[in-house]
Amino acid sequence: MEILRELKALFGPRLLTKEAELAPYESDALTAYRERPLAVVLPERKEEVVEAVRICRRHGVPFVARGSGTSLSGGSLPVRGGVVIALNRLNRILKLDPKARLAVVEPGVVNLEVSRRAAPFGLYYAPDPSSQPVSTIGGNVAFNSGGAHCLRYGMTANHVLGLEVVTPEGEVVRLGGEGLEGVGPDLHGFFVGTEGLLGIALEITLRLLPRPEAYHTLLAAYPSLEAAGEAVARVLRSGLLPGAIEIMDRLAIEAAEAAVRAGYPKAEALLIVELEGEREEVAEGARRLAEVIAESGAEEVRIARDEAERQAIWKGRKAAFSAVGRLSPDYIVQDGVVPRTRLAEALREIGRLSEAYGLRVANVFHAGDGNLHPLVLYDGKRPGELERAEALAGEILRLCLRLGGSITGEHGVGMEKRAYLAEMFSPLEIAAMEEVKAGLDPLGLANRGKVFPPKEEAHA
Amino acid sequence: MLRPKTPEEVQEAVLAHPRLRVRGGGSKPALSGPEEGEALLDLSELKGVVEYDPEELVLVARAGTRVAEVEALLKAHGQHLPFHPPLSAPGATLGGTVAAGLSGPLAQRFGGVRDFLLGVRFVDGQGRLLKGGGKVVKNAAGFPFHRLMVGALGAFGVLVELAFKVFPAPPATRTLRVAFPSLEEALSALERLLLAPLDLMALDLLPPNALEVRIGGFPEALGPRLEKLKRLLGRDGEVLEEDEAHWEGVRNLAFLEGPLLLKVPSRLDLIPLLEGLPLGRRRYLLGGNVLYAEGDGEALKALRARGLAHLVLKGAEDPLFPRPQNPFFQKVKAALDPLGRFPLR
């Protein structure tokens, strides 16, 4: 094929076309979906990314940009017959300017690496998706990744100051700049979260924050999930603004215990609240938090006395997702959002649905952000269970919408939630999104088939 | 003049006029004055808070709602808009603040208007009433049209409703004002503060040589925090205990009276250059990241000659420099406003 010849000329041995070479790229972290690409290219410089996009465009071949492949929505699933542009080798931090509190990075830089490099200057990069030891900034930008601190600090979009982007037509544009303030439309803010449909980020300018002087991390055990949810409402009513508020239910606690021996108390629900900021302020906040928690009906309260104990508390939480794999051969992770004040209601309803469907649901979630992560456990080898699990997961998304929330807080729509976009947005709204897409990508090449509800399954 | 009271009336107005200019409270006249051939769409009657549950930390209001009204409501519940919309007293509205992309001095602590806008409803150039984002703090569904609206001067549509994240207001505040022997020393102190693990509500540079730092939080902690600040700065300075009125004055840009009112994105290393320009009274907010200044035609010429981006809020015909021209902007604009009804056409 002509396109392969051109890509070969450009990439040489960094063009992968053999079956065994392509296999690792066939799916991302949502392994239920698999697709064989035509080829994978491994650019090492941004100019090669631009050239790859231009070659694809000349031949009308779709392409998908991919980082570490940690998408939980199938966002980096290859398009059949398309090219995967794997960006892991574009992993340089091009500039770290502590005075300006910013870093300019390539898209393949791993999230946690930014904070690691900023640490000697007392700075860090705030968005911390659970995948942060592996996921890349390029992917975080495409999906507007969140993490545990979004109430206080916002999502990836809030920490991107500027972008260099190659559009699907192969034009290179600069959006935003290097400062906190700009003039004119926030195009870089708009690009973040468009899931690779409007182009590929080549360089990303990130805002860095000073690392908080002190943390206060509290773990409280509750006799029910609802009691933990009610405690969250109490904390927020008190006027405190924690950096993170997390909840895990009994299933998730057991899984985390089994996986990393976090040393959590045995309980129906655990609440983690973390205050952060200047030492004196955190100490005063901790006093108030203790009063609030004392009145919340907690069965046991632990305070991290040092950084090691703090890390131990977080280790279990961050491991909970993958740990649930130990409880069940298969599971679906959901990512719905509800208004914080409806959390208890949402959890009650999820419990009811779980019973009605006869499937276990483990709950690990960012309570401060109203972002639920119900894990629907099933056994794919039992006939009909996958379909039941998918139906249950869908019910949960509809529940989130009914309560005034969103179908996705941080994983994006990808392949997985395409059908639900139309339940959150009107046909006119989806048409407007599609028109923007068509304007920038008339041939529909960039991450084709993602986000928008499938029309007729013409390609089937 | 058109003065819609409902989103549907906005839709009708948009479809009925080939060219429109939106005005909220008129506090930024350079942005809301109609050009030749433009119909004026006055949104001051499209107002009112639609949803506010203090416990939810989210507020939804119509675009023409005045910032001052929203802030009074929030204050009654111990909350505030942490991005501190400028020009509140002269009548700024929520929609106008977002369209102009403006944040006040307190944005130093948690971020600017782009960081607190959760969602919008707007009428695009085809008269469609559309939604972007939502009403929850975390949301990754669909194209984020709400973020596109920030600073866009109405180029993509007419905002009709906005949802913001709101925060508890700090129970107590203090302000430290410190003068240095020179601009260089003030800048080096500013740099030290930016890299220290401090939670500063505001960090302003007052040329030629002074800094103003505001902290907020529990009253018990403010004393020791203030001492820490002074030690870091190596100076005692002057402490304002009743500082609310002072910062109201700053965010209302009351200290600027010149014929032109300018917003100039800045950086620490740009400040010496900016200080050499023929600008009038001025103040750098957000740790030196943005300059608000008064000026005249000379000031404008000087900025443009050096290619320095800026937005004129009052006193000029052509408020935005440079005008967005890249193909990304043009194609998004063409999709949402194909007939060029709105500004930046």
Side-chain angles (χ1 to χ4, degrees):
Chain A
M1 276 174 93
E2 181 55 28
I3 180 167
L4 290 179
R5 267 193 297 279
E6 284 182 37
L7 290 171
K8 183 81 189 172
L10 184 59
F11 290 98
R14 291 181 287 116
L15 169 74
L16 313 180
T17 52
K18 297 198 189 79
E19 273 207 42
E21 295 172 326
L22 298 178
Y25 295 91
E26 281 179 6
S27 68
D28 53 28
L30 186 65
T31 49
Y33 295 90
R34 258 173 207 288
E35 201 66 78
R36 171 69 51 92
L38 170 70
V40 174
V41 295
L42 306 172
E44 289 174 343
R45 292 177 300 112
K46 67 179 179 186
E47 292 77 13
E48 292 179 340
V49 180
V50 175
E51 212 35 60
V53 167
R54 290 179 180 163
I55 290 171
C56 287
R57 178 171 177 263
R58 270 204 303 279
H59 294 276
V61 170
F63 57 88
V64 178
R66 177 188 159 115
S68 298
T70 56
S71 171
L72 288 164
S73 60
S76 51
L77 181 78
V79 176
R80 191 179 304 170
V83 173
V84 170
I85 303 177
L87 298 167
N88 299 72
R89 295 187 181 192
L90 281 154
N91 62 357
R92 282 158 291 230
I93 293 182
L94 300 171
K95 173 166 148 186
L96 201 141
D97 182 346
K99 283 196 239 170
R101 299 208 304 207
L102 65 81
V104 181
V105 307
E106 292 185 327
V109 168
V110 166
N111 173 306
L112 201 55
E113 186 60 19
V114 181
S115 286
R116 203 173 288 143
R117 289 278 297 275
F121 305 102
L123 300 171
Y124 79 115
Y125 175 62
D128 63 340
S130 294
S131 61
Q132 73 176 153
V134 263
S135 66
T136 62
I137 296 293
N140 291 176
V141 164
F143 289 85
N144 194 17
S145 297
H149 297 82
C150 299
L151 170 60
R152 196 168 157 112
Y153 294 114
M155 307 180 61
T156 298
N158 305 111
H159 299 271
V160 170
L161 302 176
L163 293 164
E164 186 177 52
V165 167
V166 55
T167 70
E169 298 216 273
E171 293 161 305
V172 176
V173 295
R174 282 213 146 265
L175 311 176
E178 292 210 330
L180 293 180
E181 288 273 317
V183 292
D186 189 351
L187 298 169
H188 53 297
F190 175 65
F191 183 85
V192 177
T194 48
E195 305 199 9
L197 268 63
L198 305 184
I200 301 175
L202 303 169
E203 278 183 23
I204 303 142
T205 304
L206 300 171
R207 156 169 88 156
L208 302 175
L209 297 180
R211 208 180 124 79
E213 188 179 28
Y215 292 99
H216 172 81
T217 312
L218 171 146
L219 180 75
Y222 289 89
S224 72
L225 203 48
E226 278 181 73
E230 178 51 35
V232 173
R234 280 172 185 269
V235 170
L236 290 173
R237 229 178 291 150
S238 75
L240 289 168
L241 188 65
I245 313 177
E246 300 283 310
I247 291 181
M248 301 166 70
D249 72 0
R250 189 172 50 78
L251 266 180
I253 299 164
E254 283 170 8
E257 272 309 308
V260 299
R261 294 179 206 284
Y264 287 154
K266 288 207 178 344
E268 282 301 311
L270 283 183
L271 171 70
I272 300 172
V273 181
E274 186 162 272
L275 305 176
E276 55 181 71
E278 289 186 45
R279 199 172 307 285
E280 302 84 354
E281 183 74 5
V282 168
E284 195 53 44
R287 244 191 307 281
R288 284 158 208 245
L289 179 63
E291 287 170 23
V292 175
I293 295 294
E295 290 167 9
S296 69
E299 293 171 324
E300 187 180 341
V301 179
R302 292 184 192 170
I303 310 286
R305 282 165 302 183
D306 53 34
E307 183 59 21
E309 289 192 6
R310 172 179 176 248
Q311 288 305 335
I313 289 177
W314 277 109
K315 192 174 167 194
R317 164 60 188 88
K318 296 229 167 187
F321 252 56
S322 46
V324 167
R326 293 172 173 246
L327 300 181
S328 169
D330 302 290
Y331 62 91
I332 297 176
V333 187
Q334 277 298 10
D335 178 41
V337 186
V338 296
R340 240 165 287 111
T341 45
R342 314 292 293 272
L343 265 180
E345 196 179 340
L347 294 172
R348 238 189 340 265
E349 186 61 15
I350 290 173
R352 201 191 61 73
L353 287 167
S354 160
E355 268 178 41
Y357 279 81
L359 291 172
R360 292 181 298 167
V361 176
N363 286 289
V364 190
F365 57 92
H366 307 299
D369 311 334
N371 186 193
L372 306 167
H373 287 308
L375 293 108
V376 180
L377 311 186
Y378 70 97
D379 182 349
K381 288 197 279 303
R382 290 197 200 140
E385 268 209 10
L386 167 64
E387 291 70 24
R388 263 209 338 275
E390 283 181 335
L392 169 53
E395 288 287 328
I396 294 174
L397 290 187
R398 293 199 180 92
L399 165 70
C400 291
L401 290 177
R402 226 167 32 243
L403 296 176
S406 170
I407 56 173
T408 172
E410 54 186 347
H411 298 171
V413 176
M415 285 298 280
E416 188 206 15
K417 292 181 280 286
R418 293 182 304 167
Y420 296 94
L421 194 73
E423 300 197 28
M424 182 159 168
F425 292 98
S426 73
L428 283 181
E429 283 155 359
I430 292 175
M433 294 177 204
E434 289 182 316
E435 283 160 26
V436 169
K437 163 77 169 165
L440 281 155
D441 185 8
L443 302 178
L445 301 181
N447 217 5
R448 174 185 286 175
K450 311 294 169 65
V451 179
F452 300 124
K455 308 269 190 274
E456 292 89 66
E457 294 287 322
H459 62 271
Chain B
M1 183 167 59
L2 309 152
R3 194 172 277 166
K5 287 191 166 67
T6 63
E8 294 70 30
E9 287 176 17
V10 174
Q11 288 179 280
E12 284 163 27
V14 165
L15 288 174
H17 295 86
R19 292 188 165 213
L20 297 108
R21 173 78 48 169
V22 175
R23 186 169 78 191
S27 64
K28 300 170 272 289
L31 308 181
S32 57
E35 288 172 12
E36 182 81 31
E38 288 181 339
L40 181 64
L41 189 58
D42 179 333
L43 289 195
S44 57
E45 291 299 316
L46 188 72
K47 62 183 178 187
V49 172
V50 178
E51 278 176 45
Y52 172 50
D53 175 356
E55 211 174 287
E56 191 55 48
L57 300 177
V58 170
L59 179 134
V60 184
R62 291 279 163 86
T65 314
R66 292 197 170 217
V67 167
E69 183 194 329
V70 167
E71 288 184 326
L73 173 66
L74 291 170
K75 194 172 179 187
H77 293 89
Q79 299 184 342
H80 69 157
L81 294 170
F83 64 92
H84 208 203
L87 299 165
S88 167
T93 60
L94 293 177
T97 301
V98 167
L102 301 186
S103 309
L106 302 194
Q108 171 64 23
R109 179 68 190 91
F110 286 112
V113 59
R114 73 190 294 265
D115 301 307
F116 284 86
L117 183 68
L118 299 177
V120 299
R121 290 207 299 151
F122 67 103
V123 175
D124 78 352
Q126 303 180 47
R128 300 181 290 197
L129 180 58
L130 305 174
K131 159 177 86 188
K135 297 170 184 175
V136 284
V137 299
K138 215 164 165 182
N139 191 359
F143 286 1
F145 285 133
H146 58 301
R147 288 198 287 273
L148 190 58
M149 301 298 153
V150 177
L153 308 182
F156 303 107
V158 182
L159 292 166
V160 300
E161 190 180 290
L162 306 99
F164 291 98
K165 177 165 82 168
V166 304
F167 276 174
T173 56
R174 294 276 187 289
T175 296
L176 180 67
R177 183 186 291 147
V178 186
F180 294 84
S182 65
L183 175 67
E184 290 69 35
E185 281 171 77
L187 286 175
S188 107
L190 185 59
E191 238 170 64
R192 276 205 301 287
L193 293 183
L194 284 170
L195 285 168
L198 300 169
D199 301 323
L200 307 179
M201 288 181 79
L203 176 55
D204 286 11
L205 168 70
L206 287 66
N209 60 354
L211 297 183
E212 276 184 9
V213 190
R214 191 185 202 197
I215 55 173
F218 298 116
E220 298 87 339
L222 284 181
R225 289 176 63 196
L226 205 51
E227 290 313 309
K228 195 164 61 179
L229 253 182
K230 290 177 184 174
R231 275 198 306 278
L232 199 67
L233 291 170
R235 276 160 206 272
D236 271 350
E238 173 197 356
V239 177
L240 310 183
E241 301 227 350
E242 300 293 327
D243 60 357
E244 189 63 28
H246 172 68
W247 289 103
E248 275 303 294
V250 175
R251 72 98 164 245
N252 286 321
L253 305 177
F255 58 100
L256 305 176
E257 291 164 354
L260 281 167
L261 177 45
L262 292 155
K263 171 189 169 176
V264 186
S266 163
R267 287 196 317 260
L268 275 187
D269 59 344
L270 259 186
I271 292 175
L273 167 70
L274 287 164
E275 282 304 290
L277 301 184
L279 298 164
R281 273 166 293 191
R282 63 204 177 277
R283 176 186 276 255
Y284 296 84
L285 316 184
L286 309 184
N289 269 280
V290 64
L291 165 67
Y292 282 93
E294 60 183 23
D296 52 19
E298 283 301 299
L300 219 49
K301 225 188 291 169
L303 285 168
R304 291 185 184 186
R306 284 164 185 77
L308 293 165
H310 56 270
L311 180 68
V312 186
L313 306 179
K314 192 183 90 181
E317 302 268 297
D318 194 9
L320 180 63
F321 177 89
R323 290 179 69 109
Q325 292 199 321
N326 67 58
F328 191 93
F329 168 79
Q330 284 162 348
K331 287 166 185 169
V332 177
K333 169 88 171 156
L336 293 174
D337 182 24
L339 301 176
R341 291 182 199 273
F342 304 131
L344 305 182
R345 55 183 75 88

